[in-house]
Amino acid sequence: MATAELAGKHLVLGMTGGIACYKIAELTRLLTKAGATVQVVMTEAATQFITPVTMQALSGRPVYTSQWDARVPNNMAHIDLSREADAIVIAPASTDFLAKLAHGMADDLLSTLCVARDCPLLVVPAMNRQMWQNPATQRNVTQLRADGIDVLGPDSGPQACGEVGDGRMLEAAATYEAIASFFSPKILSGRRVLLTAGPTFEPLDPVRGITNRSSGKMGFALARAAQQAGAEVHLVAGPVALETPWGVFREDVQTAQHMHDAVMRSVADADIFIGVAAVADWRVDHASEHKIKKTAERALPTFTFVENPDILAAVAKLPHPPFAVGFAAESGDLEVHGEEKRVRKNVPLLIGNLGPLTFGLDDNEVIMFEAGGATKLPRADKQTLARALIVEIAKRLPDTSLIR
Ligand code: C5P
């Protein structure tokens, strides 16, 4: 999901030899689509896996492969390239290149560039599982981390060689997310955020049930924005068809009761609770164990409903509640009901979805209700809005020392 975090950033994308070079074509597309400038530098080995012509076409800039490139008038590519960069990203980073970096070697353009840099360096390892587990590689990775280099991944799973294990490169989308995360201001660093998102599903029988309309997009966007702001994020999700945001711990639940129990198990550790889920207010008293048969003779089924626990109100009622944020979707008169709902739920901040209900859409417009009054945020896509809301929440947090 490419969004605006990287707009205007200038990245040197260093490629070393490995089959994962094919993923860099897609990564380059995601980065440039997000508005980043991508200057590709390839080692000789990388050019064996994908051509500089392909990378030039995707990045829209000439690719550098040699220290002795006659196009650079002062012959100082190793200095000039990193001086313009906001970061150097090495992807894929081979075993050999990690070893070189750990020892400060500088025997080709890319390694020299890394040693001569004055900007952050991120590496995205890609290698066979034995190469990754090799004690020398592990020593080198520990050294790189100690030197302040960010190591993104690796992933685990089937490898090009046919083996299965740790060492494969993160997928292009996950690499994009990790880079975007690196550039986000860490306004929630050290904070733990617990969120609920999506609908809940309350069974009537094993095949039927009642639910609320909610795509989960806003809650997932908030989880992603909180993670990128440096928080440790635990997302309790009802049934939704969405990918887990990178770096977020996700727990799937079905019913309001499950969601309530999951939240209550984890809330003691949370500094912030954001209840975005559209929790079903009622469930049937006794769901049928067997599928309710539809027969000509049988009368229409009737159900008795009981109330579900109000998760947000329960969190707000705790003796030491986290900073609790509610959401409200109304079909009318939000401006009247919003503040009334905030007071009833006893939360410091309640976010109202303005205008027509926006289930499943990517755009939204919200209004924030708090003791001091109501403030509208401009209409935007849900990810932009989520980032803005995280900034607003961070501004309102009490001192860490006072929270717990
Ligand atoms: O009362 P209403 O459902 O409109 O309130 C919405 C807010 O309360 C949301 O933040 C929602 O996640 C939360 N909520 C809850 N448990 C419920 C019902 C709503 O946490 N049973």
Side-chain angles (χ1 to χ4, degrees), residues 275-277 279 281 309-312 326-327 341 345:
V276 199
V279 185
D281 289 312
D310 187 319
I311 304 165
L312 181 61
F327 266 75
K341 183 169 284 187
K345 301 253 180 183

Side-chain angles (χ1 to χ4, degrees), residues 81-371:
L81 289 175
S82 93
R83 292 302 175 267
E84 298 168 359
D86 292 298
I88 300 176
V89 180
I90 307 295
S94 65
T95 318
D96 176 61
F97 203 78
L98 296 183
K100 271 180 163 173
L101 281 179
H103 292 89
M105 286 173 68
D107 63 355
D108 62 5
L109 175 60
L110 190 57
S111 54
T112 311
L113 191 57
C114 290
V115 177
R117 78 186 183 281
D118 65 353
C119 65
L121 176 59
L122 288 72
V123 296
V124 194
M127 64 199 70
N128 162 272
R129 69 186 171 92
Q130 292 293 5
M131 294 170 89
W132 174 251
Q133 278 163 11
N134 187 293
T137 306
Q138 288 303 310
R139 260 197 322 273
N140 291 334
V141 169
T142 305
Q143 184 59 53
L144 294 180
R145 291 203 175 103
D147 292 344
I149 294 169
D150 276 61
V151 181
L152 312 179
D155 218 343
S156 191
Q159 305 198 311
C161 53
E163 297 180 7
V164 179
D166 289 345
R168 53 179 274 156
M169 197 189 119
L170 295 178
E171 292 305 327
T175 308
Y176 173 88
E177 290 296 322
I179 298 170
S181 179
F182 174 83
F183 281 109
S184 300
K186 299 291 173 267
I187 52 176
L188 290 185
S189 163
R191 308 279 191 162
R192 279 168 296 196
V193 177
L194 177 65
L195 297 106
T196 63
T200 64
F201 180 86
E202 312 296 329
L204 299 174
D205 69 15
V207 297
R208 305 183 183 91
I210 55 169
T211 188
N212 280 355
R213 286 185 63 193
S214 167
S215 66
K217 282 185 180 171
M218 192 66 216
F220 275 57
L222 275 159
R224 178 174 182 264
Q227 189 281 332
Q228 293 192 344
E232 197 182 299
V233 182
H234 181 162
L235 173 63
V236 180
V240 292
L242 293 174
E243 295 243 2
T244 310
W246 187 80
V248 165
F249 174 74
R250 170 174 176 178
E251 187 176 354
D252 284 321
V253 295
Q254 249 212 338
T255 66
Q257 189 64 51
H258 291 154
M259 189 174 269
H260 171 270
D261 297 349
V263 166
M264 287 305 151
R265 269 196 304 274
S266 301
V267 71
D269 288 335
D271 301 303
I272 303 168
F273 173 74
I274 315 180
V276 199
V279 185
D281 289 312
W282 311 283
R283 66 173 182 274
V284 290
D285 197 359
H286 295 289
S288 170
E289 236 181 86
H290 301 288
K291 183 178 173 188
I292 301 165
K293 293 271 180 284
K294 183 181 155 205
T295 55
E297 318 76 71
R298 211 192 134 112
L300 289 176
T302 54
F303 299 99
T304 314
F305 287 92
V306 291
E307 208 167 311
N308 272 327
D310 187 319
I311 304 165
L312 181 61
V315 168
K317 257 194 223 122
L318 291 169
H320 302 288
F323 184 82
V325 182
F327 266 75
E330 297 284 335
S331 48
D333 276 344
L334 173 69
E335 311 211 11
V336 181
H337 296 310
E339 179 57 10
E340 182 266 323
K341 183 169 284 187
R342 183 189 75 78
V343 172
R344 182 159 40 83
K345 301 253 180 183
N346 193 25
V347 291
L349 184 63
L350 186 117
I351 317 294
N353 288 306
L354 269 181
L357 295 174
T358 53
F359 304 117
L361 297 184
D362 287 325
D363 264 29
N364 204 359
E365 189 175 6
V366 300
I367 180 166
M368 301 187 297
F369 296 98
E370 57 195 323

